[in-house]
Amino acid sequence: MNKLKILNDPIYGFITIPNSLIFDLIQHKYFQRLRRITQMGMSYLVYPGAHHTRFHHAIGCVHLMQQAVNVLRFKGVTISEEEENGLYAAILLHDIGHGPFSHAMENSIVNNVPHEEISLFFMDRLNKEFNGSLTLAIEIFKGKYDRKFMCQLISGQIDMDRADYLKRDSFYTGVAEGNINSERLITMLNVVDDNLVVEEKGIYSVEKFIIARRLMYWQVYLHKTSLVAEQLLIRVLKRANELCDAGHKLNASGPLLYFLKNKISIANFNNETLEIFSELDDYDIISALKNWQYYDDFVLSNLCEMIINRNLLKVKLKNKIIKKSSLDKHIDALKLKYDISTEEAQYFVFTGNISNQAYQLNTKGINILHKSGKIEDIVKASDQLNLKALSKPVTKYYICYPKDKL
């Protein structure tokens, strides 16, 4: 069977699958599941085109990694065939542990088990199936491989993950501000003292990359409408959990019911759990929402109806912490109007905060290589005064409450 296939990608054009190992990993049911996990959670309720999946993104990352390997080899960096395959496998599988709607439900399905940990569970399982051929990929993914620049290509401030998702999410949302020149960035990469650097000629591409990241977070990833939709989704599962604990029989798919009825944490996440998790995707959640909007529970039915029909809560962003009196006012009004308890009202009235830090100074920073051989952080190397400001976290506070009626 010919495994050197070519895929047509709307961002990069034709993408080649580099070898049979990557082809077999893509064909595996664990990876095919990513076709059913949206890349941007509930953002399609704001940007109708944002229906692309984790599958698209992972394939795009492999394409960029191929370019990075070619560029670095051209510049004299030694990368063995085994290391090359390790990089491709690690970047292909870096998001395989995402649950339904990506980040929206990370702590709703399982308790405090981040998607990176679940990705590792999947990679360990696949490593057994593929006779140890993912051992190096796992080492690189964990950041434990002794060649640091390889780990930085997978997870750093200018890694192949970010290089793809900014460009891809910008394309599918239509938000032009996020469109970075990832090919130019990759062409400017080099390695000095085993660390990834960007040559001086690429400094403006790096500036654009950091600013694009900031704009995409405020305009897309932390957009107040997708924020409130994600919060409603989290509350749907919380309520469904409570009802299951109280003995209610909810209609849902087998995998979803398993996670509703069992408290899964890192301590009891075993092979059986992983297998059931691998059958869980966005369709399970959407199907449950459609069912539960008619369930005889005021909270669950209203929350589900809001998401299905995009009749969401009102959300206000503030620069200061929301006063408790503002919260209580909306809670009391809702209790009076619908004769519900404070606990029930709190599903529809709540506060929280969001934070955006486009660049983390001194943490796996982006280093610029000057022609003189001097290396310095992008913040010092750039004449853009606002880059330093972008390295400071900005926090905003929000309050959500119903519009006129539920």
Side-chain angles (χ1 to χ4, degrees), residues 48-192:
H51 276 289
H52 57 301
T53 65
R54 290 274 157 193
F55 184 91
H56 289 129
H57 166 58
I59 300 283
C61 288
V62 171
H63 171 70
L64 293 183
M65 189 63 84
Q66 285 176 270
Q67 290 188 344
V69 167
N70 291 337
V71 163
L72 293 175
R73 277 181 174 161
F74 179 74
K75 292 178 181 177
V77 180
T78 307
I79 299 172
S80 70
E81 192 179 338
E82 189 193 0
E83 287 171 331
E84 180 184 5
N85 288 343
L87 284 169
Y88 295 157
I91 200 68
L92 180 76
L93 303 174
H94 78 283
D95 273 347
I96 198 168
H98 267 294
F101 291 103
S102 295
H103 292 283
M105 302 172 68
E106 197 154 331
N107 292 311
S108 302
I109 298 288
V110 287
N111 298 325
N112 298 317
V113 186
H115 70 270
E116 292 90 351
E117 286 291 333
I118 301 174
S119 291
L120 269 175
F121 286 132
F122 274 122
M123 288 164 89
D124 286 333
R125 173 72 77 85
L126 287 167
N127 198 26
K128 289 189 180 80
E129 279 188 45
F130 285 81
N131 301 318
S133 53
L134 297 181
T135 304
L136 182 58
I138 292 168
E139 233 183 301
I140 295 171
F141 179 78
K142 285 178 173 177
K144 290 183 176 173
Y145 190 53
D146 55 10
R147 303 191 74 186
K148 281 188 283 188
F149 78 90
M150 293 193 178
C151 304
Q152 290 160 1
L153 284 168
I154 303 292
S155 179
Q157 290 211 62
I158 197 157
D159 56 31
M160 298 305 103
D161 177 29
R162 290 180 183 185
D164 181 79
Y165 78 63
L166 283 173
K167 197 170 178 66
R168 189 169 299 278
D169 296 349
S170 159
F171 176 85
Y172 280 99
T173 56
V175 176
E177 288 84 351
N179 188 12
I180 58 162
N181 192 343
S182 44
E183 287 88 345
R184 165 82 176 161
L185 276 169
I186 290 168
T187 307
M188 293 296 112
L189 290 179
N190 209 330
V191 174
V192 176

